[in-house]
């Protein structure tokens, strides 16, 4: 839409841009979205972080989707992340037994997110990683990135994607271990310390 300055008919000024929404909280979240690992699985790890905007403010209405291989490096082919009751249509939750490798987490009021999943195994020439998709206000197109887990310096040094990222920015793709089995991965949408985002073509 264009706004016309009637005091100077020859001047046409652009209307400030707006985004609609986000409306993610209406139908996309589901109970247990971050509980990706089967209950009691010995290889369960916890991931947690915060999503911030260019000024460092937390985003309370963003979404993180995670996809990851199983500990053997295989991509799960199992359905069942969002099961519904065939009779009533209500949400049944995860079955808690099978690993689907996928989760969807909404940030809380302080921009925090958390998930429980399995530590992925290596695939091909890649170090173990989780694929990440970020949805947030102001983004007309969602963003993709990766979470690499520390612990294997040789694999990280030879990873085909990490080796193409400038060395000073690689740490934005590598989670920090806080304690045994718990990792921190913050996502900065822009500005200083901006997370490296990927473009697939």
């Amino acid at each position: 839409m264009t706004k016309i300055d009637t005091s100077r008919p020859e001047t046409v000024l652009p209307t400030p841009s707006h985004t609609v929404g986000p409306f993610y909280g209406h139908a996309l979240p589901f109970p247990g979205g971050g509980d990706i690992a089967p209950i009691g699985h010995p290889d369960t790890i916890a991931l947690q972080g915060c999503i911030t905007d260019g000024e460092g403010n937390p985003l309370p209405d963003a979404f993180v989707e995670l996809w990851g291989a199983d500990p053997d490096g295989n991509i799960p082919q199992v359905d069942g992340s969002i099961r519904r009751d065939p009779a009533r249509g209500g949400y049944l939750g995860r079955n808690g037994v099978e690993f689907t490798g996928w989760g969807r987490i909404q940030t809380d009021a302080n921009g925090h997110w958390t998930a429980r999943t399995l530590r992925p195994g290596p695939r091909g020439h890649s170090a173990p990683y989780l694929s990440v998709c970020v949805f947030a206000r102001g983004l007309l197109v969602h963003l993709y990135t990766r979470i690499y887990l520390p612990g294997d310096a040789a694999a990280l040094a030879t990873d085909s994607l990490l080796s193409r990222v400038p060395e000073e920015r690689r740490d934005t793709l590598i989670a920090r271990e806080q304690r045994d089995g718990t990792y921190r991965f913050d996502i900065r949408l822009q500005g200083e310390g901006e997370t490296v985002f990927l473009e697939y073509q």
Side-chain angles (χ1 to χ4, degrees):
M1 180 176 186
T2 301
K3 181 170 73 175
I4 299 175
D5 183 346
T6 56
S7 65
R8 297 179 59 194
E10 71 282 359
T11 303
V12 177
L13 302 173
T15 301
S17 64
H18 295 279
T19 58
V20 177
F23 300 121
Y24 306 132
H26 172 64
L28 293 179
F30 63 98
D35 297 328
I36 305 167
I39 297 169
H41 196 290
D43 296 322
T44 298
I45 62 170
L47 292 167
Q48 52 191 237
C50 184
I51 300 182
T52 54
D53 63 18
E55 296 179 346
N57 299 317
L59 296 181
D61 50 11
F63 261 92
V64 176
E65 286 191 354
L66 301 175
W67 296 274
D70 66 19
D72 295 323
N74 300 315
I75 299 296
Q77 304 292 319
V78 178
D79 292 331
S81 292
I82 308 176
R83 297 181 309 140
R84 297 214 175 263
D85 181 337
R88 294 176 294 137
Y91 177 74
L92 288 176
R94 294 180 185 271
N95 67 17
V97 176
E98 296 174 298
F99 177 67
T100 63
W102 178 83
R104 179 187 291 148
I105 309 103
Q106 184 173 13
T107 56
D108 67 13
N110 297 311
H112 293 110
W113 63 274
T114 185
R116 289 173 42 269
T117 188
L118 300 182
R119 186 180 181 98
R123 292 178 45 77
H125 299 293
S126 294
Y129 70 87
L130 294 154
S131 294
V132 182
C133 185
V134 179
F135 301 83
R137 67 172 80 170
L139 295 179
L140 298 179
V141 178
H142 43 276
L143 302 173
Y144 294 99
T145 189
R146 285 184 177 181
I147 300 174
Y148 286 93
L149 298 174
D152 189 341
L156 292 172
T158 58
D159 182 85
S160 58
L161 186 136
L162 270 181
S163 62
R164 290 184 280 161
V165 175
E167 189 171 353
E168 67 274 10
R169 299 202 57 211
R170 287 180 195 161
D171 63 340
T172 70
L173 295 175
I174 303 172
R176 298 184 316 273
E177 188 166 14
Q178 296 187 302
R179 55 188 179 275
D180 189 36
T182 301
Y183 299 87
R184 174 99 188 188
F185 187 80
D186 295 321
I187 299 170
R188 180 78 181 256
L189 296 184
Q190 58 183 185
E192 186 177 348
E194 176 182 328
T195 302
V196 170
F197 296 106
L198 310 174
E199 182 176 317
Y200 294 98
Q201 299 179 1

